[in-house]
Amino acid sequence: MKKLIGSIVILGALVLLTSFFFVKKSETQVDKSRFLSYEVNPLQQELHFYWKNENTNTYKSFQNLKSELEKENKELIFAMNGGMYNKDLSPQGLYIENGETKARIDTSQSGYGNFYLQPNGIFYLTKKNKPVICTTKIFTDSEHIKYATQSGPMLLIDGKIHPKFRKGSSNVHIRNGVGILPNGNLLFAISKEKTNFYDFASYFKQNGCKNALYLDGFVSRAYLPSKNWNQLDGNFGVIIGETKTK
């Protein structure tokens, strides 16, 4: 009898453990094939933010940026639109390029659109190429910042999915964003199909990111020829790109 009771207790424990595992798994696991991702080590790879060329013309598309870089004997390895923008293609919110503030930070707590879905955040690179993603609220400006772009909403805040995201939401679009991996590298991702915020944030969480930022929605594009992803069109404000000298 004691053996029977012991077996039932063990079996019950296994059932509870298995149930807990599948519940936890369902909270964060998404099909990785739904997303295109690219990992960048900013300490070893050349990552830059672009908005306007030497003639103060907005690059607008990856093709335009690629053509300009070729004149400098540089190759565009990867590109992604790098944040939201106004009708004149100027950056919405903070934008810093090569240490110069080109657009001021927007600290408004209310407004229309995803940018103002609080908390929103800022992705920046220091002059030592250390990447940081933080909420706008805790951001501190510094002379040590080389690049910065403000966007919203945050996807992950200290390992937690944005509190306003809902699993199973019907609000779906193509989406792109960036997160920081446990090894300190950057993870850029774009959905291959329309997806909601919860699933998109879950993808970054599933890959171990603690903080991640949404960059934009239906206008999103990515150029990554190494993975046969060759979107060269677009009409953007800021572009984030990896380059190398030919």
Side-chain angles (χ1 to χ4, degrees):
M1 186 68 179
K2 289 183 179 180
K3 289 184 178 180
L4 179 60
I5 293 173
S7 297
I8 292 173
V9 170
I10 292 172
L11 181 60
L14 286 172
V15 170
L16 287 173
L17 186 62
T18 302
S19 298
F20 175 78
F21 171 78
F22 280 111
V23 167
K24 293 298 288 182
K25 183 176 181 181
S26 65
E27 287 178 354
T28 57
Q29 297 295 308
V30 292
D31 183 0
K32 288 187 175 183
S33 67
R34 294 169 55 194
F35 306 92
L36 174 78
S37 65
Y38 184 61
E39 184 174 343
V40 175
N41 181 345
L43 297 176
Q44 298 180 358
Q45 293 161 265
E46 290 285 332
L47 193 68
H48 302 280
F49 289 20
Y50 301 93
W51 177 32
K52 293 183 176 182
N53 62 19
E54 293 180 351
N55 298 319
T56 69
N57 295 318
T58 305
Y59 286 107
K60 295 184 179 181
S61 72
F62 301 150
Q63 181 61 68
N64 289 339
L65 175 60
K66 184 173 180 290
S67 297
E68 291 274 351
L69 290 170
E70 286 172 351
K71 295 176 184 177
E72 302 172 12
N73 200 36
K74 293 181 180 179
E75 180 182 0
L76 185 62
I77 304 298
F78 158 76
M80 181 174 279
N81 49 298
M84 298 177 185
Y85 48 90
N86 300 305
K87 290 182 178 180
D88 62 356
L89 301 183
S90 61
Q92 183 174 6
L94 179 68
Y95 179 63
I96 297 174
E97 184 178 316
N98 293 318
E100 181 182 350
T101 300
K102 307 251 184 195
R104 294 182 179 181
I105 190 170
D106 185 342
T107 58
S108 174
Q109 293 292 302
S110 61
Y112 176 77
N114 291 324
F115 182 93
Y116 294 104
L117 186 58
Q118 302 297 326
N120 58 11
I122 294 170
F123 160 44
Y124 68 90
L125 278 178
T126 69
K127 291 179 180 178
K128 292 185 177 180
N129 293 319
K130 177 184 177 182
V132 179
I133 294 174
C134 65
T135 63
T136 298
K137 186 176 181 179
I138 68 170
F139 172 77
T140 301
D141 200 358
S142 166
E143 62 181 8
H144 302 297
I145 294 176
K146 180 167 65 173
Y147 294 115
T149 184
Q150 185 180 9
S151 191
M154 289 284 289
L155 297 170
L156 296 176
I157 309 103
D158 297 327
K160 295 181 180 180
I161 292 176
H162 194 293
K164 294 181 181 177
F165 295 172
R166 295 292 177 262
K167 188 173 182 179
S169 169
S170 59
N171 178 16
V172 295
H173 288 288
I174 297 296
R175 305 185 187 278
N176 73 300
V178 60
I180 299 179
L181 294 164
N183 62 5
N185 290 350
L186 289 163
L187 180 67
F188 291 93
I190 184 170
S191 62
K192 296 178 182 178
E193 59 189 42
K194 292 181 179 180
T195 188
N196 60 40
F197 273 128
Y198 190 93
D199 286 354
F200 194 45
S202 295
Y203 176 76
F204 285 96
K205 185 173 182 179
Q206 182 176 327
N207 280 280
C209 297
K210 294 295 182 184
N211 292 286
L213 180 66
Y214 177 65
L215 292 175
D216 216 335
F218 67 96
V219 301
S220 300
R221 299 285 190 278
Y223 173 70
L224 189 57
S226 63
K227 292 188 178 181
N228 296 315
W229 200 268
N230 296 295
Q231 295 178 321
L232 284 166
D233 61 335
N235 191 34
F236 313 121
V238 176
I239 295 173
I240 299 172
E242 180 199 350
T243 66
K244 73 174 183 180
T245 302
K246 292 184 178 181

